[in-house]
Each structure stands twice: as C-alpha cells, then as structure tokens.
Amino acid sequence: MPRKKIGEILVEMGFATPEQLQKAIEVAAATRTNRPAEKELLGKILINMGIISEDQLAQAVSAQWNIPYIDLLSANLNLEVARMVPEDLCRRYKVIPLERDGNRLVLAMADPLDVFSLDHIRLVTGYLIEPRVATESGISAGLDKLFGVDRTVKDALDQFAGSQISTEQKEEELSSDNLAAAADQAPIIRLVNMVITQAVREKATDIHIEPRKGDLAVRYRLDGLLHNVRFIPRNIQPAITSRIKIMAQMDIAERRLPQDGRIPLTVDGREIDLRVSTLPTIFGEKVVLRILDKSSTMLSLQALGFFPEAQSVFERVIHQPYGMILITGPTGSGKTTTLYAILRQLNSPDKNLITVEDPVEYQMTGVNQVMVNPKAGLTFANSLRSFLRQDPDIIMVGEIRDSQTAEIAINAALTGHLVLSTLHTNDASSAVTRLIDMGIEPFLIASSLIGVTAQRLVRKICPYCKLEYTPHPDSLKSLRTLGLEVPDGIEIKLYRGTGCEHCQGKGYTGRTALQEVMYVEEGLKELILQRASSSQLKEQAKKVGMQTLLEDGWFKVLEGITTMEEVLRVVATAQI
C-alpha cells in the first residue's frame, strides 16, 4: 500500500482544507520554477502561508512515517544525555538526545528521514538511534535551554555563591586579583563566549552589555536596530566586563576611564574581529563590541543593490584614471563595504593600491593596507603624505575627518591619483558643501571631485512571509508630498512581511543598500565654483539623471525588496 502524501494527511487531520492545499501546491510549483535553489517543501509553504502551524506539520510527519511525535516544550530534558552528542552537531542536524536505554539513544529530530545525520550521530555515539519527530523551534529552544546562556548564567551564579565577590560589593571596591580570578572561571568564560557566538550566528553588527540598576542588559543590533536579548543578574557584571577586557588586552584595573581594544577570533569557521569599547556609567562599565565579519565586507559591485542605471554611472566614475570619489552616509550605512567592493573591482597586478584605515577590516591580497595609530603619530593626514612618495595609482582613505586630510586627498587627486574616501553627510550634494565648510577652495573641489555616492541600508522583506497588499490612498498622497512621482488612479501593489520563524517575527531579514550616485559633470562644476547650495547642486544632478535616495528606495519598494516604512525610516533626514 503506497504511503500517503503529507498534504493528504494534513487534510485528513483537519489542519488544512483541499482548497488551501491546492493553493500551496501552486506556490510550490512556482517556487521550483523561479527559484531552483530554494525548493521549499509543501509543509514549509503551508506554514509560511499561515495555514498550519509547525507543531501540526510535525504531527502529520509523525503519522506519515509512523515515527512517534514529542512536544519538547513539555518534555524533561536531561543535560547528561544531551551531552552525548556535541552541541555543534545537535545544532547542525537540529537534534536533541532525549534518553539512553541500553545500546539505544532516543533522538528528537526536525527531519527524522535525514539518513546522513542519523549515520553520523550513530558513529559519534556508538549507539543505535531511535528517532522522534519534533519541531525545529522546539529543538532550538531545547538546545538553548540545555546549552544556552540561561544555564550558563545559572552555573555562574552557583559558582559565585559564597565567593569573594558578593552582591553588596561595589565594583570600584573589587581588587584586580579578584576580578581576574572571577573572569577566569569556566562559567564566565562560557557565558561571554556564548553571548558573542550567538550574536555572530544571528548576524548582529554590535553587542551592547549595559549595567542597569537591577540587572545587566544584553542587546544585539540586528539589521540596524537594537533588540533586547536577555537580562543577567548584576552581581556577575564585574566578572563579565573583566573577561572581555582580558580578551581585548585592556586594563582590568582601570574602571574610571573609557578604553578601547580588539579581539580577533574564529566563530563557526569565520574570521571575526571585535572592536571593544568600555564606558564608565553610574551603574558600572558599559561594554560595546562592534562585530567585523571579514567575509561580509567582500562583496562585488553587483551584490551592493545597485539598479542597472545607477551601477552604470557608478562604474563609469570608478574607472576614471584620477580624481576623488566620495562615499557618504551616517555610521553603519555600509560605506566601508562599498569601498572594499571598489578596491576589489580595481585591484590588478599593474596597479599600486594603498589604503589607510581605522581599523583594517579585511586583508586584501595585492593591496598595501595601513592602520592608523594616533598614539604613534600615524594619522590619516600623515599616512597620506607618505603615500604620495610610494608611487601609488589608487589611494583609499578610510574617512576624511578634518581639513588637513581633505586638502592632502584633493591634492593627491589633482596630481594623477584616484582617491577613494568617505564623509558623513546626509546626501551626495552635501559632500561638496561639507568640503567647503572644511576650508577647501571651490575651484579645487570642482577640479578634483569626479563622483559622490550617498547610501543607506534598509531591511529586506522576509521572502518566507512576504505578502502583497494594496496601500491606502492617503499614504500614497503623503508620498507625493515628498516629491515622489506616484501615479494617481492606478492600483499599486506593495509588499510587506507578516513575521514568521525565519525572520523571528520581524517581517524582515537581511539588508540592502539605497544609493544616490552623483556624477560631477560640467554643469555641477560651474555651480561648485559659484558656491551653490546643496539643494541647487541636487537639482542640477537630478536634471542630468541622478536618482535620489528616496526615489531609489521607492523603486525597491515597487520591486518588493523592502517596504515604504523602512525607506522613510532611513532617508527622511536626507530629504529635509
């Protein structure tokens, strides 16, 4: 007798109707046609459509293959048994060891038909494996409960009970020896490692460890926004801070002044650099760790999110033999990533490329990279002066922070070098007025500047819970007041994410860039010489084809890449 299909079972169990099943089958067929790399299972599609729950799918799989189902949320998990399979294997294969009986090991699995994982775990443990069906979210929660931060926090508190560091002691009263001893205890080491590892796995860009009156808040910056991750008891805060300081080779005895440090490490095979900053607050030292994932900075120009027209202008600018190119935007808008993409495009054996950065975020073969060291007197300006004696073709300056650096960079551009750098301005045209404010003469800017790209990062709609909708006419009317050409009388379809397990209920996953590419042509040069305002420069740039950040964002909204709310969140200040 042939085995029933999962769709039939879901209908029989009353979890879905035949009509809903047919709709999901059509979506699955379209998915296989358009995105062969993402062949989604029918059950997953039904979950993403909101028709069934993950728990209902697991029950249907259990019935289909006659494998018992287990609800991990109500199960008693045994840490000793769970440790029979290494945590990294449990997370990789989405499994949890539940119980041991003789030569049998009962294993909760999200995919009980994964023969490879069954064989691997059997070889690792030496036991016969007896599978149980469980949900992915249940397994993830169970692993966090068994191996996660909560258990490590409990272990740390148990370790600290009756130790030399008590809850009543103030941080400034603790000796360096006590702090060092506390920071070297296994639970603290595991706790700090897990906070960092979890942040890297969730693709956070920053970790904030903030002491408050009653506890210690751990927050991650995900896709540009801070999220509370967990709250830890205050009495282990000094040990956590000291552990991070030791890793960053900072002074654990100095708790009254801000400090900076760096931690190189490898997480899941990826090389990570952590830039550590401490700040004394009234409740103790706050620690912020900036996560620099070296693999994420090496993108091609095609992966930066340019539309074809803007990319064509951008590539024309960067392939000029000399001149200055600026990338502008606020902190965290992906300027450095864009600079690396340009270097990657221009890097060839017949060119001498030199960079000065703070810090060097990624080591590139064939590029001479220098890291600034203000304590030793090696600043952006000093480095640039030395570069000009090194016969460079292309020079990258991490950031133009002062008039001295700006002046040397412009002189380098005027003397036959291609100079790449960044500025903190709201839009492309404001880069010109910023340079004038720094004291640079307009004729020097007009002669050296060949292009400016302003950019912002916006969150992308989660593809798993993406939903089409018709916007309210009033919201479209407000977009027209911002200067967008939104057609009237035509029904417009937009998209948004409803929130699912893949995006942790946020409706967004990952980010892409909005760009405003300004090519400095003759008309703009004339206006620069006349000290025209940034708004006049912007109007001229638009006349010759520049799309503003808002316009680029609107096109990406129509394409279903992001939402209008997200575009307005990041570019509203650029339009004021």
Side-chain angles (χ1 to χ4, degrees), residues 35-323:
R35 294 183 294 174
E38 298 180 20
K39 293 181 180 178
E40 298 176 88
L41 298 173
L42 182 63
K44 293 273 189 181
I45 292 172
L46 286 164
I47 291 174
N48 295 337
M49 293 173 68
I51 295 171
I52 64 172
S53 68
E54 192 184 4
D55 190 66
Q56 289 171 332
L57 175 62
Q59 292 180 46
V61 170
S62 170
Q64 182 185 31
W65 296 97
N66 197 28
I67 298 173
Y69 164 76
I70 183 165
D71 180 7
L72 290 177
L73 297 178
S74 57
N76 291 321
L77 302 178
N78 187 315
L79 181 61
E80 184 180 347
V81 174
R83 283 178 172 161
M84 294 181 67
V85 177
E87 183 190 354
D88 62 329
L89 288 187
C90 288
R91 293 191 182 276
R92 187 194 310 173
Y93 296 135
K94 299 182 177 65
V95 302
I96 295 182
L98 298 175
E99 61 179 276
R100 178 182 54 197
D101 182 13
N103 66 341
R104 294 184 311 109
L105 183 65
V106 178
L107 199 67
M109 307 182 67
D111 182 5
L113 306 180
D114 186 350
V115 178
F116 179 80
S117 63
L118 285 168
D119 287 345
H120 192 176
I121 293 170
R122 179 175 55 80
L123 288 171
V124 168
T125 61
Y127 286 83
L128 297 174
I129 305 302
E130 193 172 297
R132 299 285 186 269
V133 181
T135 64
E136 281 190 28
S137 60
I139 288 172
S140 179
L143 290 173
D144 287 342
K145 184 177 178 182
L146 287 164
F147 301 110
V149 177
D150 290 338
R151 173 168 289 277
T152 308
V153 170
K154 183 179 182 301
D155 290 345
L157 288 172
D158 292 344
Q159 185 87 35
F160 273 66
S163 71
Q164 292 176 318
I165 299 181
S166 66
T167 311
E168 292 76 20
Q169 280 182 290
K170 294 181 180 180
E171 190 174 352
E172 58 267 22
E173 296 173 352
L174 301 173
S175 71
S176 299
D177 291 341
N178 283 351
L179 284 172
D184 282 338
Q185 291 181 11
I188 291 298
I189 294 173
R190 286 202 306 271
L191 177 55
V192 171
N193 290 347
M194 293 183 71
V195 166
I196 294 171
T197 301
Q198 183 182 347
V200 172
R201 285 173 177 165
E202 294 187 17
K203 298 181 180 178
T205 56
D206 301 85
I207 305 170
H208 289 239
I209 300 174
E210 303 175 353
R212 307 189 305 180
K213 187 175 182 179
D215 54 28
L216 185 69
V218 178
R219 303 200 288 167
Y220 293 164
R221 189 175 293 279
L222 302 166
D223 294 332
L225 299 178
L226 277 172
H227 298 271
N228 289 327
V229 177
R230 63 187 64 254
F231 300 96
I232 297 172
R234 265 291 304 278
N235 59 323
I236 59 174
Q237 181 258 330
I240 291 173
T241 304
S242 297
R243 175 61 191 165
I244 294 171
K245 284 183 174 182
I246 289 170
M247 294 172 71
Q249 297 184 338
M250 296 158 70
D251 183 359
I252 64 171
E254 180 55 75
R255 299 187 287 274
R256 298 166 300 174
L257 296 174
Q259 293 189 67
D260 294 307
R262 173 178 170 267
I263 305 172
L265 72 163
T266 301
V267 177
D268 297 336
R270 291 151 59 190
E271 288 187 31
I272 304 294
D273 252 353
L274 299 178
R275 290 167 61 184
V276 184
S277 171
T278 64
L279 181 71
T281 73
I282 59 172
F283 297 118
E285 287 181 283
K286 174 180 175 176
V287 183
V288 174
L289 299 93
R290 165 65 60 89
I291 301 172
L292 301 176
D293 186 346
K294 296 182 179 181
S295 62
S296 68
T297 56
M298 287 308 294
L299 297 177
S300 64
L301 289 179
Q302 292 73 23
L304 292 179
F306 282 103
F307 276 144
E309 299 83 359
Q311 184 171 329
S312 175
V313 176
F314 188 72
E315 293 206 26
R316 186 167 85 233
V317 169
I318 68 172
H319 283 96
Q320 297 296 313
Y322 57 86

Side-chain angles (χ1 to χ4, degrees), residues 307-349:
F307 276 144
E309 299 83 359
Q311 184 171 329
S312 175
V313 176
F314 188 72
E315 293 206 26
R316 186 167 85 233
V317 169
I318 68 172
H319 283 96
Q320 297 296 313
Y322 57 86
M324 185 163 72
I325 301 169
L326 295 175
I327 312 296
T328 77
T331 301
S333 58
K335 299 188 296 297
T336 302
T337 299
T338 301
L339 286 178
Y340 277 126
I342 298 173
L343 288 177
R344 187 180 182 188
Q345 180 94 348
L346 301 179
N347 191 7
S348 63

Side-chain angles (χ1 to χ4, degrees), residues 231-527:
F231 300 96
I232 297 172
R234 265 291 304 278
N235 59 323
I236 59 174
Q237 181 258 330
I240 291 173
T241 304
S242 297
R243 175 61 191 165
I244 294 171
K245 284 183 174 182
I246 289 170
M247 294 172 71
Q249 297 184 338
M250 296 158 70
D251 183 359
I252 64 171
E254 180 55 75
R255 299 187 287 274
R256 298 166 300 174
L257 296 174
Q259 293 189 67
D260 294 307
R262 173 178 170 267
I263 305 172
L265 72 163
T266 301
V267 177
D268 297 336
R270 291 151 59 190
E271 288 187 31
I272 304 294
D273 252 353
L274 299 178
R275 290 167 61 184
V276 184
S277 171
T278 64
L279 181 71
T281 73
I282 59 172
F283 297 118
E285 287 181 283
K286 174 180 175 176
V287 183
V288 174
L289 299 93
R290 165 65 60 89
I291 301 172
L292 301 176
D293 186 346
K294 296 182 179 181
S295 62
S296 68
T297 56
M298 287 308 294
L299 297 177
S300 64
L301 289 179
Q302 292 73 23
L304 292 179
F306 282 103
F307 276 144
E309 299 83 359
Q311 184 171 329
S312 175
V313 176
F314 188 72
E315 293 206 26
R316 186 167 85 233
V317 169
I318 68 172
H319 283 96
Q320 297 296 313
Y322 57 86
M324 185 163 72
I325 301 169
L326 295 175
I327 312 296
T328 77
T331 301
S333 58
K335 299 188 296 297
T336 302
T337 299
T338 301
L339 286 178
Y340 277 126
I342 298 173
L343 288 177
R344 187 180 182 188
Q345 180 94 348
L346 301 179
N347 191 7
S348 63
D350 61 340
K351 290 186 175 69
N352 179 19
L353 284 74
I354 308 180
T355 76
V356 55
E357 307 170 57
D358 183 20
V360 173
E361 294 188 17
Y362 185 87
Q363 296 175 15
M364 296 184 69
T365 303
V367 179
N368 304 284
Q369 295 170 275
V370 176
M371 187 163 70
V372 298
N373 186 353
K375 292 180 180 178
L378 186 62
T379 63
F380 281 120
N382 292 343
S383 300
L384 269 174
R385 288 194 187 94
S386 301
F387 285 1
L388 296 178
R389 296 190 289 273
Q390 289 283 318
D391 185 31
D393 296 294
I394 299 169
I395 298 171
M396 186 190 97
V397 185
E399 183 183 345
I400 292 178
R401 295 176 179 174
D402 51 51
S403 58
Q404 191 179 23
T405 305
E407 186 177 341
I408 301 170
I410 285 177
N411 286 333
L414 290 172
T415 53
H417 307 91
L418 186 65
V419 179
L420 315 172
S421 193
T422 68
L423 267 181
H424 288 281
T425 63
N426 281 335
D427 55 15
S429 58
S430 297
V432 174
T433 54
R434 176 64 57 83
L435 290 172
I436 292 175
D437 290 341
M438 285 181 171
I440 307 300
E441 291 294 334
F443 75 89
L444 291 174
I445 300 171
S447 303
S448 62
L449 191 64
I450 57 175
V452 183
T453 296
Q455 67 181 53
R456 298 287 191 280
L457 293 179
V458 292
R459 293 179 294 171
K460 295 192 293 184
I461 300 172
C462 174
Y464 294 96
C465 59
K466 187 174 178 179
L467 185 70
E468 185 182 77
Y469 75 101
T470 303
H472 194 277
D474 288 345
S475 62
L476 295 179
K477 192 183 297 181
S478 65
L479 295 179
R480 295 187 188 98
T481 63
L482 292 172
L484 283 175
E485 294 183 7
V486 182
D488 199 1
I490 301 175
E491 187 176 78
I492 294 176
K493 295 292 184 183
L494 301 183
Y495 302 85
R496 61 186 169 209
T498 57
C500 64
E501 61 177 10
H502 297 281
C503 60
Q504 298 178 335
K506 295 191 288 287
Y508 298 96
T509 178
R511 289 191 289 178
T512 190
L514 308 182
Q515 292 99 353
E516 177 177 284
V517 183
M518 185 178 82
Y519 175 62
V520 183
E521 42 73 52
E522 291 304 319
L524 273 172
K525 289 181 179 180
E526 287 295 327
L527 288 174

